[in-house]
Amino acid sequence: MRIVVIGAGVVGLATAFELRERGHDAIILDPDPAGGASRAAAGMLAAVTETEWAQDALHPLMRDAADVYPDFLARLTAAGGDAVGYRETATLAVAVDAADRETLTRLAVLQQQGGAVVDRMTGSRAREREPSLGPAVSAAMGIAADHQVDPRQMAASLLRVLGAGVRREQAVRVSTDAPIGREPAPRWVHLASGDAVPADVVIAATGLGQVEGVPALPVRPVWGDILRLRVPEALRPLLTHTVRALVRGRSVYLVPREDGTLVVGASVREGGVAAVQAGGVLALLRDAQTVVPGIEECEVIEMMARPRPGSPDATPLIGVVERGLIVANGFDRHGVLLAPLGARLVADLVEGRAVDPAVAAAVHPSRFHPADIRQVLPDLTPPAVAVLDGAGMKG
């Protein structure tokens, strides 16, 4: 089957890889592969510590995604991918003041309800595990199941494995109309260069970009400032755990990399300037220094801002929207974690495999804008999805 994936962020790359693994002829179109939100991502595989209130549909997806990640990475390595920066070191979630401790405790209860194993500890015991934590840290939780991957390394491995299947071209329109002189095909992806690519199925993983012929989705830009620091040789390793902190109600995380760098992030804003925002950088450094005083001696080597495509409920938008057209979008802050799971779901839709009805209902785009999404057609949709669309889903 000829499949064209539009968008080479981590979701699109993982999807093209999954389809190739299943024997399909998949190409991917993007003028700047992995140059958007994926380049700025910290890569925390944090199914437990990313658990928040009022996101009940998202929580099981994150847990399932964490479960499939080892297999995804093993297959990528076997296919010829290089190192992906995967580290199984645990995550420490820490709190500073009394209100932060209360929030951490309530989150622990929510996470444990989902089956997570959480090791609650005092600030002193946390410093025994991670000596670089400062005296302001008053409580912590250890989460052994939350790991990390380096999104830049993973994207580079996916690009290497996909090889010539990655075309650095801009898709501008999807249609059923064959260009003059070309044989008919179910779908055509028209490029900015004037060329057109035939496809049996088109997968739009376009993030915030809009392509004519793809129904508009309710995604918005969720901006984040993120920093990269170089730790001096004398201080390495500054951290051995990923540290996620609450500092007087604000969130900050510090992710140590194998190369001696440290990722500090990430602000969350939906307005203001598109570039790196001074206030966001100031807040990140101030709060990170409160948690790990040693960052004062680190070198700032990169400041970056990227918008993430966020859906109204922070849960992805994945589903068949027209015959031969599937969308995979709205992954918000969870794109790296959810990419392999999303790729499997999209590949199952392409092949007409059965999809868990609860998952189908949670992610289908018609839950928001039924008028914008045409009736799902059964030839590319598992029976469970078709039944839900006709009996209970909003479309």
Side-chain angles (χ1 to χ4, degrees):
M1 189 178 294
R2 297 172 302 177
I3 302 168
V4 176
V5 181
I6 306 175
V10 67
V11 172
L13 290 169
T15 300
F17 171 71
E18 181 68 31
L19 290 165
R20 287 278 196 91
E21 287 281 283
R22 297 191 187 192
H24 298 289
D25 178 15
I27 67 167
I28 188 164
L29 303 171
D30 195 312
D32 183 24
S38 300
R39 181 162 181 76
M44 293 174 292
L45 307 180
V48 178
T49 47
E50 287 281 359
T51 300
E52 297 182 3
W53 293 282
Q55 294 183 353
D56 293 347
L58 180 61
H59 299 163
L61 297 180
M62 294 195 299
R63 292 193 295 268
D64 290 347
D67 289 341
V68 305
Y69 232 97
D71 172 71
F72 170 78
L73 295 178
R75 289 189 292 120
L76 177 57
T77 301
D82 286 343
V84 294
Y86 180 60
R87 301 181 69 179
E88 292 185 288
T89 49
T91 294
L92 283 177
V94 307
V96 171
D97 64 17
D100 297 331
R101 291 195 300 273
E102 174 62 22
T103 300
L104 204 64
T105 298
R106 292 172 59 209
L107 279 171
V109 171
L110 178 65
Q111 292 156 357
Q112 288 170 322
Q113 288 173 349
V117 177
V118 176
D119 180 16
R120 303 189 201 187
M121 62 188 77
T122 63
S124 297
R125 189 154 76 88
R127 279 183 286 276
E128 291 176 2
R129 289 185 59 175
E130 193 61 86
S132 292
L133 293 176
V137 172
S138 62
M141 300 188 309
I143 300 96
D146 280 1
H147 306 146
Q148 64 153 295
V149 70
D150 187 330
R152 294 184 182 182
Q153 290 188 24
M154 188 170 82
S157 286
L158 285 164
L159 288 167
R160 186 174 298 106
V161 168
L162 293 170
V166 180
R167 294 179 56 176
R168 294 176 177 266
E169 299 192 63
Q170 180 69 56
V172 295
R173 183 165 65 94
V174 177
S175 77
T176 57
D177 303 322
I180 296 174
R182 303 287 293 271
E183 293 293 328
R187 289 273 166 180
W188 287 89
V189 180
H190 302 265
L191 308 177
S193 64
D195 193 8
V197 182
D200 296 304
V201 180
V202 174
I203 298 160
T206 55
L208 295 163
Q210 182 60 39
V211 175
E212 183 182 346
V214 177
L217 298 174
V219 293
R220 70 195 191 285
V222 180
W223 284 89
D225 303 300
I226 194 163
L227 313 175
R228 281 174 170 77
L229 313 180
R230 180 176 288 115
V231 180
E233 291 283 352
L235 293 182
R236 296 182 188 179
L238 182 62
L239 291 174
T240 57
H241 299 72
T242 294
V243 174
R244 301 176 63 99
L246 288 171
V247 182
R248 301 176 186 90
R250 297 180 300 273
S251 297
V252 65
Y253 56 72
L254 301 94
V255 185
R257 295 280 195 243
E258 294 176 344
D259 63 358
T261 59
L262 188 68
V263 179
V264 179
S267 61
V268 178
R269 52 188 169 86
E270 301 197 25
V273 299
V276 176
Q277 197 167 50
V281 173
L282 176 63
L284 288 174
L285 288 174
R286 180 184 59 231
D287 293 341
Q289 189 272 340
T290 298
V291 176
V292 181
I295 71 159
E296 289 184 345
E297 300 183 45
C298 295
E299 173 190 357
V300 178
I301 58 174
E302 184 179 79
M303 295 186 290
M304 180 176 290
R306 288 289 191 275
R308 318 164 184 97
S311 75
D313 61 1
T315 301
L317 302 160
I318 303 172
V320 181
V321 292
E322 294 178 10
R323 184 190 301 273
L325 180 58
I326 298 172
V327 295
N329 208 327
F331 284 71
D332 206 308
R333 297 179 298 110
H334 310 291
V336 175
L337 171 63
L338 294 177
L341 183 69
R344 285 191 178 192
L345 177 55
V346 170
D348 285 346
L349 290 172
V350 168
E351 296 178 340
R353 295 174 182 244
V355 175
D356 184 322
V359 173
V363 301
H364 200 277
S366 63
R367 69 189 189 270
F368 296 118
H369 284 276
D372 293 345
I373 305 298
R374 300 179 188 178
Q375 181 179 0
V376 173
L377 300 171
D379 62 336
L380 282 180
T381 308
V385 180
V387 170
L388 281 168
D389 278 348
M393 287 189 69
K394 303 174 183 176

